[in-house]
Amino acid sequence: LLPQYDPTLHAGATPYFRAEADYVEYLALPALAHGYYDHSLQLNLELGYINRDVAFLPFLGGGQLYSLGAPEYNTSVGFVGYPFYSVRGESLLNLGVSYRGPIARRLDWDLGALYIEDIYFQVFTSWGNIWSFDRDGKRQVPFADRAANGRYVLGDVGIDLRIGNFFQEIETNVGTTLRAVYRIVPFRDCPDSDPSADPHCLDVAGARGFLFYAIVGGGF
């Protein structure tokens, strides 16, 4: 159904094929300090393929809160070191590694309407890119060709402060994450062929630097 919403497609055009696979492996590491230090490792692999150059709804990457309805997705660390929706195209590959451990557990802090139970940290890194098509219509080959951002691979590293909290009388795990992520591999080119279409591209994503996020209500 997606082609009917693409303004570049017309009646009778052949629909395009889109496939995406997300694999997540949670590894519980041996607990330390009599079970208090319950740390874990998480591996994320994202793959995607669209068989033609599309102007509407390609694969989109960049720092974002993935889902309010499914908080478990908010542990995803793919491309968060880059501005919102700045990485895009038709061939997606991203590998993320996250390590989580407790700072304080079973706090039982009752602060008026706010209740705080646990505080964890998470350190992570993610590497990959989203490739598209060259101006002559040739498909970019992952790792063999540079993506529209001018890089073969993008990479970042970050740290989270994850707070297990909820508001009393609301039966939900609200949770709060404070995130700082460092962009290791900056853009070399703007994804848009016309630099004036995105004048802040190289000002922000074209240099090594930090992005900061406050994710409130995204689960714990």
Side-chain angles (χ1 to χ4, degrees), residues 60 106 113 158 182 194-196 202:
L60 298 169
R106 299 185 290 271
Y182 184 76
D194 180 10
S196 64
L202 294 182

Side-chain angles (χ1 to χ4, degrees), residues 101-155:
I103 296 175
R105 294 185 59 201
R106 299 185 290 271
L107 291 173
D108 194 27
W109 286 356
D110 192 347
L111 307 174
L114 178 65
Y115 179 82
I116 298 177
E117 177 67 12
D118 299 311
I119 300 177
Y120 276 65
F121 73 91
Q122 173 177 267
V123 293
F124 63 86
T125 184
S126 65
W127 294 87
N129 212 334
I130 303 181
W131 294 264
S132 53
F133 288 78
D134 293 328
R135 296 180 185 179
D136 60 1
K138 179 183 177 183
R139 189 182 193 97
Q140 296 168 348
V141 179
F143 302 111
D145 297 326
R146 298 181 189 271
N149 47 58
R151 297 294 187 185
Y152 294 105
V153 176
L154 302 176

Side-chain angles (χ1 to χ4, degrees), residues 84-99:
F84 187 63
Y85 283 171
S86 64
V87 189
R88 54 189 181 270
E90 288 75 32
S91 298
L92 162 67
L93 190 151
N94 186 267
L95 175 65
V97 180
S98 308
Y99 172 75

